Amino acid sequence: EAGVTQSPRYAVLQEGQAVSFWCDPISGHDTLYWYQQPRDQGPQLLVYFRDEAVIDNSQLPSDRFSAVRPKGTNSTLKIQSAKQGDTATYLCASSPFWGGGNQDTQYFGPGTRLLVL
Amino acid sequence: GDSVTQTEGLVTLTEGLPVMLNCTYQSTYSPFLFWYVQHLNEAPKLLLKSFTDNKRPEHQGFHATLHKSSSSFHLQKSSAQLSDSALYYCALSDRSNTGYQNFYFGKGTSLTVIP
């Protein structure tokens, strides 16, 4: 079974530039999560979807961040006008079918390392 | 609110000695607890997950016991191996009365095993 894939793997920006991260979850997983992992810290949940619906985006840092999952499969996380404080690894994870008994287990992608200069 | 605490940031052990990484939590509901392992430049991978029936999960020689009375889920292994060197994250998942899930990761413990 293919794992969670993410692209790009690395991104370097100047402050003020925009960037988008793409995630393809494991096939059949209806729940998708985006995490921010600053250097030397644990992952911090930003937003998660069940199918195409946003379930919780209360931890998205500001209106500079947005995430969509229009068809309930792939997802895009976008940062408008990046700041140095956004420097982190952005992880995508997915979980199996809600109600299937294993919905709490998350499978992570390799992440995108973002450096904002 | 909910939270996960890992008291040790860095742990260095000699190969063959026992491993114990601490994890305590606060949760409003009935959570699942997890241990994830993250090797250098890789994504976190699930190591263990708590069971609802109090069974002790085990994987790759690691085990952890959920103690609800002390809100702990410490990770243990009887004999450390060099390949165990990695970042270990304790994580919590619970579900509110409305059905929404909450997820929290601890700050992580960096384990280094030396010969």
Side-chain angles (χ1 to χ4, degrees):
Chain A
E1 159 179 279
V4 177
T5 55
Q6 292 184 245
S7 65
R9 293 296 308 275
Y10 303 93
V12 181
L13 304 175
Q14 298 290 335
E15 274 200 321
Q17 290 185 304
V19 64
S20 292
F21 309 131
W22 180 82
C23 173
D24 188 5
I26 293 173
S27 178
H29 284 194
D30 65 346
T31 309
L32 183 148
Y33 313 82
W34 283 104
Y35 287 86
Q36 182 189 58
Q37 185 176 21
R39 185 179 174 84
D40 298 329
Q41 294 187 36
Q44 297 159 12
L45 183 66
L46 294 174
V47 58
Y48 79 96
F49 298 82
R50 187 148 303 120
D51 297 321
E52 68 278 6
V54 174
I55 302 301
D56 185 358
N57 63 358
S58 61
Q59 301 305 311
L60 278 175
S62 70
D63 57 6
R64 296 186 298 107
F65 284 68
S66 63
V68 294
R69 194 186 184 198
K71 297 183 179 180
T73 52
N74 303 333
S75 177
T76 303
L77 174 69
K78 185 173 183 178
I79 306 176
Q80 300 270 21
S81 189
K83 297 183 178 180
Q84 288 186 351
D86 299 332
T87 293
T89 297
Y90 291 83
L91 294 166
C92 178
S94 67
S95 287
F97 172 72
W98 181 260
N102 205 28
Q103 60 266 27
D104 297 275
T105 301
Q106 298 180 42
Y107 299 84
F108 285 84
T112 297
R113 289 191 174 183
L114 174 65
L115 174 61
V116 183
L117 302 173
Chain B
D2 293 10
S3 65
V4 175
T5 301
Q6 293 179 250
T7 52
E8 310 107 341
L10 295 169
V11 172
T12 302
L13 288 174
T14 302
E15 189 178 14
L17 290 182
V19 178
M20 181 162 168
L21 305 184
N22 292 321
C23 173
T24 56
Y25 65 91
Q26 288 187 321
S27 175
T28 308
Y29 307 100
S30 295
F32 284 104
L33 272 292
F34 304 81
W35 278 99
Y36 282 86
V37 58
Q38 187 175 26
H39 289 94
L40 189 63
N41 297 324
E42 296 183 9
K45 294 179 183 176
L46 180 66
L47 182 60
L48 293 174
K49 175 185 174 182
S50 63
F51 289 106
T52 53
D53 59 0
N54 294 324
K55 288 181 183 175
R56 189 179 80 169
E58 296 191 26
H59 185 61
Q60 297 179 347
F62 287 94
H63 62 269
T65 302
L66 181 61
H67 290 289
K68 294 181 181 178
S69 58
S70 58
S71 298
S72 67
F73 191 59
H74 304 320
L75 182 68
Q76 295 178 276
K77 186 176 184 181
S78 59
S79 176
Q81 297 177 293
L82 296 176
S83 59
D84 294 332
S85 295
L87 271 170
Y88 291 82
Y89 291 103
C90 184
L92 174 156
S93 168
D94 69 7
R95 196 164 301 126
S96 68
N97 293 334
T98 60
Y100 290 140
Q101 281 181 285
N102 299 301
F103 304 95
Y104 301 91
F105 278 76
K107 292 185 177 180
T109 297
S110 176
L111 174 65
T112 301
V113 181
I114 58 175

